[in-house]
Amino acid sequence: MASIRDLHQQLVSKERSAVEIAEESLAQIQALEPKLRSFLMVTGDRALEQARRVDDQIAAGEAIGWMAGIPTGIKDNMCTQGIRTTCGSKILQNFVPPYESTVTHKLATAGAVMVGKTNLDEFAMGSSTENSAYQVTANPWDLERVPGGSSGGSAAAVAADECTVALGSDTGGSIRQPAALCGVVGLKPTYGLVSRYGLVAYASSLDQIGPFARSVEDAAILLGAIAGYDPQDSTSLKVEVPDYLSFLNPNLNAQKKFRVGIIQETFGEGLDAIVGDAVMAAVDQFKAMGAEIVNISCPQFRYGLPTYYILAPSEASANLARYDGVKYGYRSEQPDNLMSMYTQTRAQGFGAEVKRRIMIGTYTLSAGYYDAYYLKAQKVRTLIKQDFEQAFEQVDVLVCPTTPTTAFKAGEKTDDPLSMYLSDLMTIPVNLAGLPGLSLPCGFDAQGLPIGLQIVGNVLREDLVLQAAYAYEQATEWHLRTPSL
Ligand code: GLN
């Protein structure tokens, strides 16, 4: 499995063309899709056209950037002009966006080769990709298990080498959780670092786009390509994008003594022993690399899940009001009147989980309940943020498990939303605080399923998160294992 660095080298030395690389990726997709179902749409023609442009540039002696010619998957909740964007929902089954999201525009400009749109839970609501209205994606390590979600298609595609890297979105864990379950690197950047223009909104105060990759270096390269201020997104941060590659040093203490905090509260009830052991072994590895290890308590952490399941549905209920059968997307056939057109369209177009969240969100925002639920949850959100602020006075990064368990079987949790929600116990507080969080492989369970280590940084400290992840990755060999498909 080639890294971006390998592919870049092959391209500039003219050992292989971008078209050849794209064809290889498309062939892998064709071979594996019957088993995996990671892609909702394969965009072969567009991929080859983009690859040809890169080859022309190379032939003309022009310099190419890191992302040029790199096969990339895009989660199907990012708008691609002229290419159907379904968000995994029936209600957007025929939606062809008239505009391009900022991230895909940036990637196209950088010469990245989009091979297709990846599967996801409908409107990014879910932890297993089973909520997609179209298909269930399989976990490349065990085809009977889920890849995690909601960006399960992107995670599986990267793990199975259907593409080199992919984009996902993370509202409560949807990049890190599937990355953990598929044994790849997934990074949710600081809220506002990557433009959300053209990302179909789920919960706008939490949504963030980020990279999936098979190595920390590839994730750093992709992050560099998509980060940066965008006047079209009002929450976009006005900051300079650093060269993320410059932070990747195998020596953890190259700058100063690195301080790693362990979030105590994540080691309690519900955590599989094998996951806890793997994460503690990773902490020992950090110690062996010379890091100072500090036990950190984040007492409000445990309120993350209930807080999220008030705030996210509230925002979703407002964001999803636009799907009414009038402006775009699915419209119910033969309604009797305008009102029944609205109600039937929404009843038929949305799946069960989306409806559940719209109902919860409508309730928590309604007069009389707003103060008791929504406002209260906002206050708790501030408390969770304060826990993190205090923690980062003592340490450079925090570590904890990414998920309480390894990949579960398809169908195992579909009838029990609450147990499904628990998958994101450890990722959600990071979204509530707007912080960067990365998951990378730190072991395997007895069935050979990958285990994820989560590394969390302070606001805009992607540098420290990447530095810690890189040093750990270079000192271990987990990332070298690949699924046998
Ligand atoms: N699994 C969580 C949910 O269902 C998080 C989803 C996400 O991050 N998009 O909401």
Side-chain angles (χ1 to χ4, degrees):
M1 293 195 181
S3 64
I4 294 180
R5 188 177 286 277
D6 296 337
L7 295 174
H8 183 77
Q9 197 47 44
Q10 292 166 7
L11 285 169
V12 295
S13 66
K14 301 199 176 137
E15 186 185 324
R16 278 213 291 174
S17 70
V19 167
E20 280 164 356
I21 291 169
E23 278 169 348
E24 187 184 55
S25 167
L26 294 168
Q28 179 82 342
I29 291 173
Q30 202 179 6
L32 294 182
E33 273 307 276
K35 290 186 198 170
L36 288 181
R37 300 169 297 276
S38 334
F39 285 88
L40 286 173
M41 186 192 276
V42 180
T43 50
D45 291 343
R46 174 168 152 150
L48 293 173
E49 188 189 307
Q50 284 179 316
R52 266 192 292 273
R53 244 178 279 145
V54 173
D55 286 334
D56 289 347
Q57 265 178 292
I58 296 169
E62 289 172 35
I64 56 162
W66 283 112
M67 284 307 298
I70 304 301
T72 305
I74 303 291
K75 187 179 182 180
D76 201 25
N77 61 350
M78 297 171 210
C79 287
T80 37
Q81 189 172 13
I83 292 173
R84 195 153 55 101
T85 300
T86 67
C87 219
S89 181
K90 184 178 170 190
I91 214 158
L92 286 175
Q93 64 184 7
N94 295 321
F95 176 54
V96 178
Y99 69 110
E100 189 79 20
S101 67
T102 295
V103 283
T104 50
H105 175 73
K106 281 192 170 193
L107 288 181
T109 310
V113 170
M114 182 178 91
V115 290
K117 306 289 298 277
T118 58
N119 195 23
L120 70 157
D121 285 300
E122 183 177 9
F123 285 100
M125 298 177 187
S127 305
S128 66
T129 315
E130 290 167 293
N131 292 338
S132 167
Y134 301 100
Q135 62 202 34
V136 176
T137 298
N139 188 312
W141 296 88
D142 177 348
L143 298 175
E144 285 179 10
R145 293 177 189 264
V146 302
S150 62
S151 315
S154 288
V158 170
D161 200 21
E162 291 183 305
C163 47
T164 309
V165 289
L167 289 185
S169 67
D170 191 314
T171 305
S174 279
I175 292 176
R176 291 157 289 156
Q177 188 259 15
L181 270 44
C182 290
V184 295
V185 176
L187 169 62
K188 181 204 91 74
T190 300
Y191 182 76
L193 179 62
V194 177
S195 168
R196 292 180 299 114
Y197 178 73
L199 171 71
V200 178
Y202 160 20
S204 311
S205 77
L206 301 158
D207 298 340
Q208 185 60 201
I209 295 171
F212 281 97
R214 288 188 297 266
S215 69
V216 175
E217 182 179 79
D218 285 0
I221 291 173
L222 182 51
L223 176 64
I226 58 172
Y229 176 66
D230 178 11
Q232 283 175 297
D233 174 355
S234 61
T235 59
S236 175
L237 296 173
K238 270 194 182 145
V239 289
E240 284 292 319
V241 179
D243 173 11
Y244 291 110
L245 284 182
S246 70
F247 305 122
L248 306 186
N249 193 321
N251 176 6
L252 191 61
N253 295 325
Q255 306 292 334
K256 62 179 174 69
K257 184 139 179 102
F258 209 89
R259 298 162 306 164
V260 173
I262 313 169
I263 309 176
Q264 296 302 296
E265 285 75 7
T266 57
F267 289 87
E269 208 190 326
L271 180 70
D272 272 5
I274 185 105
V275 175
D277 291 349
V279 172
M280 286 320 289
V283 170
D284 288 342
Q285 178 63 46
F286 276 111
K287 200 187 279 175
M289 294 188 295
E292 181 188 338
I293 308 294
V294 187
N295 283 329
I296 295 284
S297 175
C298 291
Q300 315 297 335
F301 207 87
R302 66 199 181 99
Y303 298 116
L305 201 67
T307 304
Y308 173 86
Y309 277 102
I310 292 172
L311 296 179
S314 298
E315 295 183 25
S317 73
N319 275 327
L320 272 56
R322 70 190 66 161
Y323 305 103
D324 54 8
V326 177
K327 300 184 222 28
Y328 41 70
Y330 174 80
R331 175 183 295 176
S332 83
E333 330 243 306
Q334 301 171 324
D336 301 328
N337 52 45
L338 182 64
M339 201 57 191
S340 74
M341 196 272 285
Y342 287 143
T343 53
Q344 283 176 26
T345 294
R346 289 167 69 81
Q348 295 159 4
F350 289 135
E353 183 61 26
V354 174
K355 285 182 206 164
R356 181 162 26 242
R357 300 211 187 177
I358 292 174
M359 284 191 283
I360 295 173
T362 308
Y363 179 81
T364 50
L365 289 180
S366 59
Y369 295 106
Y370 176 91
D371 288 353
Y373 292 102
Y374 183 77
L375 204 61
K376 187 71 149 219
Q378 288 289 26
K379 289 178 181 167
V380 179
R381 182 177 190 170
T382 303
L383 295 176
I384 293 170
K385 222 183 207 157
Q386 286 169 353
D387 266 5
F388 280 116
E389 277 162 14
Q390 281 167 13
F392 287 117
E393 283 169 15
Q394 302 171 60
V395 295
D396 298 306
V397 296
L398 291 165
V399 297
C400 67
T402 307
T403 57
T405 69
T406 52
F408 45 93
K409 289 229 163 84
E412 196 179 312
K413 297 185 194 241
T414 33
D415 296 330
D416 185 358
L418 208 56
S419 102
M420 188 75 90
Y421 294 174
L422 284 170
S423 306
D424 294 311
L425 197 63
M426 291 145 186
T427 48
I428 277 174
V430 179
N431 298 74
L432 290 169
L435 305 175
L438 178 148
S439 180
L440 84 166
C442 72
F444 288 81
D445 73 4
Q447 285 104 28
L449 299 167
I451 299 171
L453 170 73
Q454 182 175 217
I455 304 177
V456 181
N458 206 350
V459 176
L460 290 173
R461 294 320 299 263
E462 277 78 4
D463 57 337
L464 296 175
V465 171
L466 288 165
Q467 154 76 87
Y470 183 75
Y472 174 80
E473 178 192 62
Q474 295 303 305
T476 56
E477 298 199 329
W478 307 114
H479 64 292
L480 302 177
R481 277 202 216 179
T482 52
S484 55
L485 273 153

